[in-house]
Amino acid sequence: IPKSGYRIGTYVQDEWRIAETLTGTVGLRVDRNDVTGIKSSPRAALIWQATAATTLKMLAGRAHRAPNVYERDYSDGLAQARNPELKGESIDTMEIVADHRVGNDLTLRSSVYQWTMRDLITLGIDPASGLAQYQSGETVKAHGLELSADKTWRDGARLRGSLSFQNVRDANGATLVNSPKLLAKLNYSARLPVA
């Protein structure tokens, strides 16, 4: 079923130099759409340049996501039912980040974070039809630690790697399915040799 809608958003941000090595940033995004109405997403950061090579950041914020047309309005009568009452998701985040530059070509980062996700959109079962249906889920909390490194070379090659330890649980304390406790990533990119 073709469906139209609208989304309008505006964002303001300001930054202050509190001291020679300390800055603060505050931002606010306000969105309005035809599904969830008006939602505000505040953000704040405190950044300390501890040394020429080391930066510490404290970050906090909120974000929202309205359900898309497929999640809310798609129905085929065979496998999936629509859900016009589907709410949008929101997430509150808090993070402490330490960045350390080792020379000009290597950056190390550690991050400790906590997220609280509300009304997480998940695929469930419509009690009326017995078909699959996207539904607003419970509150989910996550906290973890991420360690990463980023190395670049003069020829443009880049190697990035990270290791994350996280714990994600629902409102009842149960671990979320498809949410690994340990996650490793490795990425290498380089220019193609062209004759």
Side-chain angles (χ1 to χ4, degrees), residues 17 22 53 55 78 81 85 101 104 161 178 181:
R17 182 167 295 282
L22 187 65
T55 305
L78 299 171
E85 303 302 317
R101 184 169 288 281
N104 292 324
N178 271 346
K181 287 190 175 284

Side-chain angles (χ1 to χ4, degrees), residues 67-87 120-137:
N68 61 43
V69 173
Y70 179 76
E71 292 166 334
R72 186 172 184 263
D73 297 313
Y74 179 75
S75 177
D76 61 6
L78 299 171
Q80 185 171 324
R82 66 189 298 265
N83 186 356
E85 303 302 317
L86 190 60
K87 300 183 218 172
L120 191 65
I121 296 173
T122 58
L123 192 60
I125 300 296
D126 175 24
S129 67
L131 300 177
Q133 180 188 60
Y134 284 96
Q135 300 171 343
S136 295

Side-chain angles (χ1 to χ4, degrees), residues 104-172:
N104 292 324
D105 58 357
L106 177 62
T107 302
L108 305 175
R109 171 177 282 185
S110 63
S111 172
V112 177
Y113 60 87
Q114 177 179 308
W115 303 336
T116 303
M117 297 164 272
R118 292 179 180 83
D119 299 319
L120 191 65
I121 296 173
T122 58
L123 192 60
I125 300 296
D126 175 24
S129 67
L131 300 177
Q133 180 188 60
Y134 284 96
Q135 300 171 343
S136 295
E138 299 179 6
T139 298
V140 173
K141 294 192 175 191
H143 60 272
L145 166 70
E146 182 173 8
L147 306 171
S148 64
D150 191 329
K151 167 81 174 164
T152 56
W153 286 270
R154 288 184 182 180
D155 64 357
R158 184 177 185 187
L159 178 64
R160 291 177 290 174
S162 67
L163 184 62
S164 299
F165 307 90
Q166 65 181 0
N167 186 6
V168 183
R169 298 190 177 269
D170 65 18
N172 299 319

Side-chain angles (χ1 to χ4, degrees), residues 23 25 44-48 56-60 94-97:
T23 59
T25 303
L46 193 59
I47 302 167
W48 177 39
L56 300 175
K57 304 173 190 176
M58 292 178 55
L59 312 167
M94 291 179 16
E95 187 173 8
I96 298 173
V97 180

